[in-house]
Amino acid sequence: MQHSVRYVAIGDSFSEGIGDAGAVPFPGWTGRLASGMAEHLGAPVDYANLAVRGRLLAGVLDGQLDAALALDPTPTLITFCAGGNDLLRPRFDVQGLIAQLETAVTSVLDRGVRIALLSPADPSARLPLGSLINRRGDAWAEALGDLARRHDLPFVDVSRDDHLRRAEFWSEDRLHMNAVGHQRVADLALHAVVDGPAPVVPPQARVDRRRLREEAQYYREHVLPWIGRRVTRRSSGDGRAATFPTWTTATPLGQER
């Protein structure tokens, strides 16, 4: 049966759902959004997720977007969230990246497919070089917002959501959101994309101060491997494929099959 909403996500690790260990049918904010749309609309939603961790914007547009538009039947909705890996690179050209994205957006709209834009989550509050990441993230979010306004697209400014800077929304690696963070983004997207209910902010959790030993362990387990990949020009997504490359069905909560 062909459903009225056919939703496919493209992007990097954020859209892939890394960090979400919650007990849900489809983890990550994209999967949670698919389930949320099914609940809000009262009908099943076809869902695919082509996002792969480590991808730069060009890789998302050159590979994943073509694959999304080639799905049969054609999607009715695409969410795009990428650029977070680009802003971690030494050279970061906001205008060049947004020009590439605008060309892609135009081609999607010409096909009669809706596209929603999201800015990447901002992990800068607890990372080395956090101020640089924050400045670049703000510039990218501003450019995305301008693009969305020019084409009347839904836009979710994840990177400048004040609540998502709180530690309780993030996983141990401090780069990816945990289940609570992914659910917050899904709620924001549901409101923006299908006029779902306004998101409810969880109460602020008590956050213990980090100890020196814990910081050393964090750098050893997460920062040093990341630096190693940069030096050797490897990606965490090398050899990985999409988690849901073809249509699957998201149903209203309580009706999972």
Side-chain angles (χ1 to χ4, degrees):
M1 180 176 68
Q2 183 171 312
H3 300 137
S4 59
V5 175
R6 297 184 297 278
Y7 161 47
V8 55
I10 61 175
D12 52 29
S13 61
F14 183 37
S15 293
E16 185 184 339
I18 302 303
D20 185 354
V24 291
F26 303 105
W29 69 266
T30 62
R32 291 170 181 268
L33 172 60
S35 298
M37 286 194 292
E39 180 78 11
H40 179 67
L41 299 173
V45 168
D46 285 332
Y47 168 63
N49 188 343
L50 304 180
V52 177
R53 68 193 71 180
R55 293 296 187 263
L56 299 173
L57 180 140
V60 173
L61 298 181
D62 292 343
Q64 296 176 24
L65 182 57
D66 288 343
L69 293 172
L71 287 169
D72 186 19
T74 303
T76 61
L77 171 67
I78 295 173
T79 58
F80 168 90
C81 185
N85 292 311
D86 296 83
L87 64 85
L88 295 174
R89 295 301 192 266
R91 298 182 63 184
F92 177 59
D93 178 9
V94 174
Q95 295 308 314
L97 292 173
I98 211 69
Q100 294 178 52
L101 178 57
E102 187 156 21
T103 298
V105 164
T106 301
S107 69
V108 170
L109 296 177
D110 287 345
R111 296 278 296 270
V113 179
R114 290 184 75 207
I115 183 167
L117 307 180
L118 292 88
S119 61
D122 180 7
S124 62
R126 288 164 297 282
L127 287 180
L129 302 177
S131 61
L132 174 63
I133 295 171
N134 181 256
R135 288 196 304 273
R136 288 182 170 186
D138 282 351
W140 182 234
E142 191 68 32
L144 287 170
D146 289 343
L147 174 59
R149 285 187 288 273
R150 287 197 297 275
H151 294 274
D152 194 24
L153 308 177
F155 173 57
V156 182
D157 196 353
V158 176
S159 68
R160 293 187 290 189
D161 181 282
D162 290 338
H163 303 291
L164 289 175
R165 294 181 63 79
R166 288 158 36 184
E168 66 263 32
F169 290 98
W170 295 83
S171 62
E172 290 183 358
D173 69 4
R174 305 182 196 170
L175 273 174
H176 301 102
M177 292 194 156
N178 58 21
V180 179
H182 279 282
Q183 185 61 58
R184 168 71 178 168
V185 176
D187 292 343
L188 292 169
L190 183 68
H191 181 63
V193 174
V194 293
D195 197 25
V200 176
V201 181
Q204 188 159 356
R206 178 179 178 273
V207 180
D208 294 330
R209 299 181 67 179
R210 299 191 293 266
R211 299 175 181 175
L212 182 60
R213 180 178 299 178
E214 294 169 346
E215 286 296 279
Q217 181 178 357
Y218 165 73
Y219 273 77
R220 183 171 61 252
E221 294 181 358
H222 300 290
V223 177
L224 291 179
W226 180 85
I227 292 173
R229 289 194 297 272
R230 297 288 76 75
V231 171
T232 58
R233 297 186 178 183
R234 291 178 293 116
S235 167
S236 58
D238 288 347
R240 291 185 177 273
T243 51
F244 295 99
T246 58
W247 293 124
T248 187
T249 301
T251 57
L253 296 177
Q255 298 182 22
E256 294 85 357
R257 289 180 286 176

